[in-house]
Amino acid sequence: MRFQDANTQPREPSLAEQRARRQALADQEREAREAAEASAAAAKKAGTKRKILIGGGVTVGLAGLIATYYTVAKPAEMTAVCTDANGVIQNDEYCDESYASSHGGHFSGGFWFIPLPGGGFSQYRYNYGGSGNIGQRVAGGSFTAPSGNTNVSTKSGTSVQRGGFGISGKSGTSGGTGGTGKSGGS
């Protein structure tokens, strides 16, 4: 039929047409359901990837933080030399608190004062990082005690200042030689 006017009644679909329509609707519903499931699976997979990426970043950051801590926490080593008021290197015992007190001297403000025969005091203090031999003027270094995580000892092996957290400024002996001393600056 090529032409149908307004008065013509549409015919009922045949059983085959009805079956085909139901099948088409079922296929559309199935495709929509599969698309929704695929979308949900993709979102879950993306979320998992994101969590793995974030977790990896946290792991790398934490490893960097731990590496930095161990780098900073490792104490530096420094040598201190005992000098007189003119900056001439003296024997380490003059900067030892027990030596000074046994000879009537005392420690004050980073200096050891040892009495001289005939009156007066001779003062001694540590130079940190300087070099030279006894009787020579100290070369380089500083009279200010290093702060932070630094192990300071004399050439004779006496520990002047220990590194690490909670430095008290007092020290003991290293290897059983020498006496105790205090760190101090100018």
Side-chain angles (χ1 to χ4, degrees), residues 7 13 16 20-21 31 35 37 42 44 46 51-52 64 67 89 114 127-128 132 139 143 150:
N7 295 333
R21 284 182 187 167
E31 288 173 2
E37 289 173 1
K44 183 178 178 184
K51 288 176 186 174
I52 289 172
I89 298 174
I114 299 177
N127 176 287
Y128 302 93
F143 290 103
T150 306

Side-chain angles (χ1 to χ4, degrees), residues 11-26:
R11 72 174 170 83
E12 280 295 313
S14 68
L15 286 175
E17 289 174 336
Q18 289 176 6
R19 224 178 303 140
R21 284 182 187 167
R22 280 193 303 263
Q23 185 63 38
L25 287 175

